[in-house]
Structure formats: C-alpha cells, structure tokens
Amino acid sequence: MKKTLSYRDGLSLATAKEMEADPSVFVFGLDVPDHKRIFGSTRGLPEKFGMRRSFGTPLSEDAMTGVALGAAISGLRPIHVHIRVDFLMLCMNQISNMVSSLRYMSGGQLKIPLVIRSVIGRGWGQSCQHSKSLQSFFAHIPGLKVLMPTTPQDAYSLLRTSIRDDNPVIFLEHRWLYDTEGEVDEEKEVPLGQACVLHEGDALTVAATSWMNVEALKAAEVLKKRGVHIEVVDVRSIAPLDETTILNSVRKTKRCIVADYDWVYCGFGAELAALIYERCFGLLKEPVVRMGFAPVPCPTTRPLENLFYPSAVHIIRTAERMLGLEPADLSGEYFYSYENKFKGPF
Amino acid sequence: MIQDILTKEESLVCYRKLLLTRLAEEKIAEEYFKDEMKTPVHLGVGGEAIPVGVSHCLPPGTKSFGTYRNHALYLTLTEDTDRFFAEMYGKVTGPGKGKAGSMHLSEPAQGLVATSAVVGTTIPVAVGAALANQYRGSQEVVAVYFGDGALEEGVFWESLNFASLRKLPVLFVCEDNDIAVHTATRDRQGFSSILKTAATFECYTDGSEGFDLPEVITATRRVLGKMEKDLKPGFLRFRYFRYYEHVGPREDFDVGYRRRPSPQDWERMDPVVRFEKQLLENSVKKEELSAIRESIREKIARSVVKAKEDPFPTPDDLYKDVTA
C-alpha cells in the first residue's frame, strides 16, 4: 500500500509494524513515551504496545546501552533511541568495546540484534552539543552497521530491515528530514548496504549523505535550468558501503563531489574520496572535491551557523567550477531556509 | 557447621571446582614463561570460593557475567579444561576460537555469557539480560561478578539504580580484594561503606569473607531467599586476598605497594586450604581429597598437551564472526 508519509511517521509506522510482527521487539530510551515522543517518531507506540514494550529510562546512556546489549544477546530485539547523537558519546564505551566486538570475542556464539536510533544535526541554533553527526566514529569500528536514511521511504524500509537484522545497527536521522514528506510503499523492502541514485545525470556525481542529499537535489534542480544534469547518489548505508553504485556513477560522470554531512577532516568523505581515487583514478577529469562542516565546533548564531554548514549553493558553485562554467545568477532562486519550516525551541 | 550448609556430595563438588581453578592457574604460572600462551592472564588465586560458592546457590545454566579475572568463573561453570587451555594457547578449539584469550572467556550455552577487560562493562549487560527475563515474565536471576574497582565506575551506579528502579532479578557480586590494579581502596573511594551505600537503593545487600566457601554460600542463600520472596536486585560483597600481581603469574610483594601475608595469614585466607581443613574436620577422608586432586592434575595435564597440539585458526578465520 502506498501513501504519503512524513519521515517521522515512516519511523513510527516501521517500528509499530515490526513490534506487531515480533513480540521480542521493544523500543526504549530517555523520553520515548513522553508527550513529545522523540519529535513524534515514537508516537502511538506506548498506547498500542504498553509501557512494557515502549518505555523511558533514567539519564544513564552508558548503562542503558549495556542494558540494550544484554537484552539483545538474550534473544530480544531492542531499539534504543536518542534525541541527539551528541548524547551517544556517553554510550561509546559500550558501543566500541562491547556491542561491536562481543560476537567476535565469543567466537560467534552471541548474536546482537540491536538498533540504536539517533537524531543528528541541525535544528535551530543548536550550538556545539546538539548538532553533531559523527557517522565516521561509528563506521570506523568493525562490527557495526551504520545507516543514514534520507527519504521517508528509506526511513520506513531501512528501519524495518535494521530491526530484523541480527547485528548492531546505528541509525542516524537528520532532524530536518523529520518534516519531509514522500510516497511510502509499505511493502517495499530495502536491504542494508545499498546506495541509490536519487537524481540521474551525466555531468558530475554528488555522493551525499543524509541532509546533503536535499541540498544536492536542490542544486540539481537549479543546474538543470542551464542544461547541466548532475547525478545525486544517496549513500544511505555508510557501513557496509555499496561501492558499486557509487563507482558506477563516477565512471559515468568522471567528476565527483563528496558531500558528507559531517566534518571533513578524517571524516567519511575522506573514505569515499579515497575509494574513488583508488578505483577511478585514470578516469577522473577533475580532482574529487570533499564538502562538509567547517572545521570548528558548531556556532549558535545564525550568520556563523550558515557558514558552518555546506548548502546547495556550495554544491552549485563547486559544480560550475569543476565544469568550467560561469557562475549563474542565483538571486531568483529559492533555497531551503529553516525559518520557513522550523520553529524553536528544539 | 559445614554439614548444615552442604551435603557431603555437594562439598566434594565444590572442592573439585575450587581445586580445578587453583591447579589450572598454577599450571598457567608454570607454563607461562615458555611464551606459548600469548594472552595477558589475571590470576584469581585467593578468590576462587566466590564464583564457586555463588554459582552453587544458583540453578545450573544461570546467566553469568564476569571480568577479565574470570578463570575461576569459567572453570566453575564449565569444568572444561580442554576448551579453557585451548583459548589460553590461542587455538581454534577454544570458546572464542582463539580470538578471546584469557580476558574474554565465554561459554553462553553453559551460562557464562560474557566477560570483559574494561572494568564495569559487563554490569549493565547483565542488567539487560535480567530485563529480558522480566520482559518474558521470568524471575530467573542473572549473576554479575566485578571487582571493587568497578564501584568507582559511573556505570555501576547507573546499573544499580536502573535494576533497583525496575526490580530486576540480578545479583551483583562484588569480588573485593581491596586493590584496583595497584591502588588500595583507601586511596580511591570517597565513601566509607559500600554495603551501607548500596543499601540506600531498593536492593538486598549482604556479604562475608570471600575466602570462606560456607560463608559465601550462606550469604548468597540469604539474599536469594529475600529475592525469591519479594523481588529486588541483590548486592553481595565478598572480601578476599589477591595473591598474585594484577596481571601475570608472579608474586609482587617486593615492589612496595602491599605486604606479603604471614604464612598463618595466608593459610587463613587461602580458600582451598581453608575448605580442605573444614572438610577434614567434617569426616571427609584425606584420601578422598587426594584422589580428587590427582584426577584434576591428570585432567589438566591432558588438556595442556591437547591444547598445544590443537590447530591455530586459519587465515580465513580472521574475517569470521564479525557480523551474523
């Protein structure tokens, strides 16, 4: 069945479907059952499944991650939810020392079907501690799967697949994507480890993660007006990585912007750029360009915050330079501005 | 009296487990500097009666979690010296297929779910296993063993808090040797009594000398009895004397941070010697104990030979069991 859903509703619907199908699935985390329901993404779950399967926790991120792991290796399928990835830093001991490696250390005797969901990124002047993304932290560690769904369909389908997966999955959801709407086919299954082409083109590839896909699609729309067709590849799965889809696109376009929603230095973008150089070196017409956050902590004030984050304008200007085009007049263009959609406080 | 606590048969089972760990660790000490056993070993000599006693009070297969000082727990729950020594020698026939080594022994099928080398990290995982029991409507107890150093980790308090809040069937067992690596409790802890402090949570607290097996069993039974009547977590603190250095098979009484116990003191605090005495005072014959000792020696010798002959993992094994 197809219907138009927001990203947040895709998340709650996917969770409800899996909880209906499998009594071992439960969802927990700080404020999961409160009136705000993790920006609406756990809406309806306490009413439908009760507090046994949908509950809040003390502010003990470290221990609660261990609790999730303990439940997972005892045959349950926990979904542990965090309202910002910055708080997941308190879970890193369990994630990097236990969750990622317990199966290996047990010689394969233990299975860890665990989903750790976390909101990432930008809201509205969120400053340094509510604005991180950090996919490279997680993807760096063998044993973890790391996903960054962009569309409502992927939020829905990839969450269902993640819950059914027998391994730990870090599931990163951009705050601004929560409001996006799109057609969702409830029957559509999306396996982990697959990228997808969101917009076809031949001039240049933008390999993007999370919100950067929205910016890249806007750039594609603007560039199309002057007959330039760029290809937008949504990486979706940071680990495992779908090298084939990304490399096929670059082989076709011979130019690539890696637009990662994170800091550039030692980031996932460097991994993608290295992959492209290693495998497409002779084909490239231009050096790969990496794009990401400015190398500073995230500032609160809007004029500086605008400089911190890359946008569709950066992608357009970079594409023009790589293609040897004069910069277009963008004054008539409408670019995403969160004041139009997003109100405070959070 | 010992016969009020254990039948003769039970006593001999406990003795066998105590001695199995002791002799296995003595064998490790004997073999270690041949440099074939390439894994850091944290010997538990002095503390054997704690896992032997606590696990004796719990049903077989009870989910248990431990630390890097886990040989006694592993051997108590499995009595499998073949797999134990195979893991020490990095062989594919070990429970971790050689990837775990001494610090991460596990045997989930026999109750030992996980052990860890980062202090305190298995505590919340055990609480999660207890949550899974509660989720399924079961009151089965999960046991988690940790040292006194873990009491300074935030995750211990987070775990105790959550378990107490949710009235989870988890038994916290503090193996207290008064020393964390090389630092004494008095130089680490800003509270005067862990038992009094833990008792302010909704849990049952108890404890005893950890080198006296009957006392360990008695304290464990007291707490388990309360947990059975009105379920809340249990917290047990057992004190013992860590005989060897923190890591490695040597004594380290000469380096200055602690003193060698007098022979009389060590005899009092040695759980094997102490229990042997108690058994002999209670009509167990010396020959019975010698026969047990002899059969364990043979078993260990056979396992070491076998472990040395067993194959290492193949290069392919490097990439196995990262994900399911």
Side-chain angles (χ1 to χ4, degrees):
Chain A
M1 195 175 75
K2 288 185 183 181
K3 55 184 170 188
T4 300
L5 280 185
S6 68
Y7 190 94
R8 64 160 61 75
D9 291 342
L11 293 170
S12 62
L13 182 65
T15 311
K17 290 246 181 197
E18 290 304 315
M19 288 176 79
E20 267 166 30
D22 183 350
S24 68
V25 178
F26 69 97
V27 56
F28 79 116
L30 186 65
D31 292 344
V32 158
D34 76 1
H35 58 288
K36 293 194 174 177
R37 302 282 163 92
I38 316 288
F39 306 119
S41 66
T42 57
R43 196 181 290 151
L45 302 177
E47 290 76 10
K48 193 160 187 191
F49 300 101
M51 293 299 269
R52 177 174 155 269
R53 298 182 63 194
S54 173
F55 55 90
T57 69
L59 289 95
S60 303
E61 289 88 348
D62 184 3
M64 291 307 109
T65 310
V67 165
L69 171 61
I73 59 176
S74 302
L76 300 183
R77 293 185 173 273
I79 307 168
H80 190 203
V81 188
H82 299 266
I83 209 150
R84 291 284 179 204
V85 79
D86 310 70
F87 304 130
L88 259 161
M89 298 305 95
L90 290 157
C91 312
M92 282 310 263
N93 179 31
Q94 283 292 326
I95 291 174
S96 59
N97 286 320
M98 296 289 284
V99 170
S100 61
S101 42
L102 204 51
R103 179 176 173 78
Y104 198 71
M105 292 194 295
S106 72
Q109 296 182 87
L110 297 173
K111 194 171 81 173
I112 306 166
L114 165 62
V115 177
I116 299 176
R117 281 184 47 203
S118 180
V119 178
I120 59 167
R122 206 167 172 183
W124 177 91
Q126 297 294 337
S127 192
C128 300
Q129 297 171 349
H130 285 58
S131 56
K132 293 186 189 70
S133 191
L134 302 178
Q135 55 272 25
S136 65
F137 276 33
F138 304 108
H140 183 65
I141 304 165
L144 302 176
K145 297 187 179 183
V146 183
L147 298 178
M148 300 183 88
T150 303
T151 63
Q153 178 74 63
D154 282 349
Y156 170 82
S157 296
L158 284 174
L159 184 55
R160 292 196 71 175
T161 315
S162 299
I163 295 167
R164 274 180 260 134
D165 198 87
D166 280 337
N167 298 289
V169 178
I170 311 285
F171 200 87
L172 302 174
E173 309 153 5
H174 195 281
R175 174 69 186 90
W176 285 2
L177 291 172
Y178 269 54
D179 298 311
T180 58
E181 290 190 337
E183 192 170 76
V184 173
D185 177 354
E186 286 185 28
E187 304 307 317
K188 186 175 178 187
E189 294 192 12
V190 181
L192 308 187
Q194 282 190 1
C196 73
V197 177
L198 287 183
H199 185 271
E200 288 194 23
D202 53 13
L204 176 151
T205 297
V206 181
T209 57
S210 192
W211 180 259
M212 288 313 294
N213 283 289
V214 178
E215 300 289 349
L217 288 173
K218 179 67 194 176
E221 180 195 313
V222 172
L223 287 164
K224 199 174 171 179
K225 292 179 188 166
R226 61 194 294 190
V228 175
H229 301 278
I230 64 169
E231 183 143 298
V232 179
V233 179
D234 182 359
V235 177
R236 291 200 293 199
S237 180
I238 309 300
L241 182 64
D242 175 4
E243 299 180 356
T244 309
T245 302
I246 297 161
L247 292 173
N248 283 347
S249 176
V250 177
R251 285 184 188 119
K252 179 173 74 175
T253 65
K254 301 178 177 55
R255 292 177 178 88
C256 186
I257 296 171
V258 171
D260 187 28
Y261 191 82
D262 199 357
W263 284 299
V264 175
Y265 188 75
C266 285
F268 172 67
E271 189 62 44
L272 274 188
L275 172 76
I276 292 162
Y277 279 126
E278 282 167 3
R279 307 280 285 279
C280 304
F281 187 73
L283 288 173
L284 292 173
K285 290 190 175 164
E286 289 283 324
V288 174
V289 173
R290 285 186 286 154
M291 198 174 278
F293 302 166
V296 296
C298 181
T300 297
T301 183
R302 183 63 189 276
L304 296 184
E305 197 189 36
N306 279 348
L307 296 172
F308 178 81
Y309 289 106
S311 69
V313 176
H314 293 99
I315 296 173
I316 293 166
R317 294 298 182 222
T318 305
E320 288 168 339
R321 185 178 57 69
M322 290 171 80
L323 294 165
L325 301 171
E326 285 300 309
D329 176 11
L330 300 177
S331 57
E333 296 294 342
Y334 168 82
F335 290 102
Y336 188 88
S337 164
Y338 58 64
E339 274 85 354
N340 297 334
K341 287 231 174 181
F342 194 92
K343 299 289 174 222
F346 195 46
Chain B
M1 291 305 282
I2 207 169
Q3 58 265 44
D4 301 330
I5 298 165
L6 295 166
T7 64
K8 183 177 171 188
E9 198 190 346
E10 288 176 315
S11 305
L12 293 180
V13 168
C14 287
Y15 178 70
R16 188 177 75 217
K17 291 180 173 178
L18 275 180
L19 196 61
L20 179 68
T21 308
R22 175 62 59 87
L23 296 182
E25 292 204 318
E26 283 178 359
K27 189 71 178 173
I28 289 171
E30 188 187 314
E31 294 279 322
Y32 199 71
F33 292 108
K34 293 181 182 168
D35 207 25
E36 294 169 78
M37 224 181 275
K38 294 177 191 297
T39 177
V41 289
H42 301 77
L43 302 185
V45 168
E48 298 96 331
I50 302 167
V52 171
V54 172
S55 65
H56 182 74
C57 305
L58 293 163
T62 293
K63 283 186 178 163
S64 305
F65 293 79
T67 70
Y68 49 83
R69 204 177 301 285
N70 56 33
H71 298 168
L73 183 59
Y74 181 90
L75 290 169
T76 297
L77 297 179
T78 69
E79 295 194 67
D80 188 339
T81 47
D82 281 357
R83 279 165 72 76
F84 175 79
F85 279 105
E87 195 63 42
M88 295 297 136
Y89 283 98
K91 300 303 177 74
V92 74
T93 43
K97 298 178 185 166
K99 293 167 179 171
S102 162
M103 297 194 288
H104 306 297
L105 292 172
S106 68
E107 204 75 79
Q110 299 197 58
L112 184 54
V113 186
T115 60
S116 165
V118 180
V119 171
T121 44
T122 53
I123 300 174
V125 185
V127 171
L131 181 83
N133 287 350
Q134 186 188 62
Y135 187 90
R136 297 189 174 104
S138 160
Q139 296 212 353
E140 266 175 57
V141 171
V142 174
V144 57
Y145 301 80
F146 49 86
D148 48 299
L151 303 175
E152 293 131 47
E153 299 284 2
V155 76
F156 164 72
W157 299 100
E158 292 183 7
S159 302
L160 181 64
N161 176 58
F162 184 68
S164 299
L165 175 77
R166 299 285 302 244
K167 294 188 166 41
L168 297 177
V170 59
L171 185 61
F172 297 98
V173 184
C174 179
E175 303 171 308
D176 182 351
N177 57 27
D178 196 33
I179 206 155
V181 189
H182 306 127
T183 306
T185 305
R186 66 172 181 278
D187 295 326
R188 306 182 340 252
Q189 294 184 354
F191 49 91
S192 54
S193 161
I194 182 59
L195 284 179
K196 282 185 193 159
T197 310
T200 62
F201 289 77
E202 290 292 330
C203 68
Y204 304 109
T205 58
D206 211 320
S208 74
E209 297 299 1
F211 44 76
D212 188 279
L213 185 75
E215 279 191 32
V216 170
I217 290 173
T218 305
T220 306
R221 283 182 180 159
R222 271 198 304 264
V223 159
L224 289 174
K226 290 177 189 167
M227 290 172 73
E228 203 178 328
K229 256 194 209 151
D230 177 16
L231 185 59
K232 291 180 197 175
F235 177 91
L236 287 163
R237 192 275 299 267
F238 296 114
R239 284 199 276 226
Y240 79 100
F241 182 78
R242 185 189 88 203
Y243 190 82
Y244 285 109
E245 59 188 329
H246 165 68
V247 53
R250 280 184 282 225
E251 296 179 2
D252 65 349
F253 301 116
D254 56 338
V255 297
Y257 72 97
R258 60 182 191 156
R259 276 193 219 137
R260 177 187 291 280
S262 69
Q264 296 78 5
D265 277 347
W266 175 233
E267 198 177 308
R268 182 176 63 81
M269 295 185 296
D270 180 333
V272 179
V273 169
R274 194 177 171 101
F275 193 54
E276 260 171 10
K277 270 191 174 170
Q278 290 164 331
L279 290 174
L280 293 171
E281 285 162 12
N282 283 276
S283 68
V284 175
K285 294 195 177 60
K286 210 167 183 171
E287 298 75 53
E288 289 179 87
L289 300 186
S290 316
I292 291 173
R293 184 177 285 265
E294 205 38 49
S295 79
I296 291 173
R297 271 195 199 292
E298 284 170 17
K299 176 176 165 147
I300 289 171
R302 277 196 307 273
S303 293
V304 170
V305 170
K306 186 176 177 307
K308 288 184 178 182
E309 287 168 355
D310 279 352
F312 281 110
T314 61
D316 284 355
D317 289 321
L318 177 65
Y319 296 99
K320 285 184 189 158
D321 298 325
V322 179
T323 53

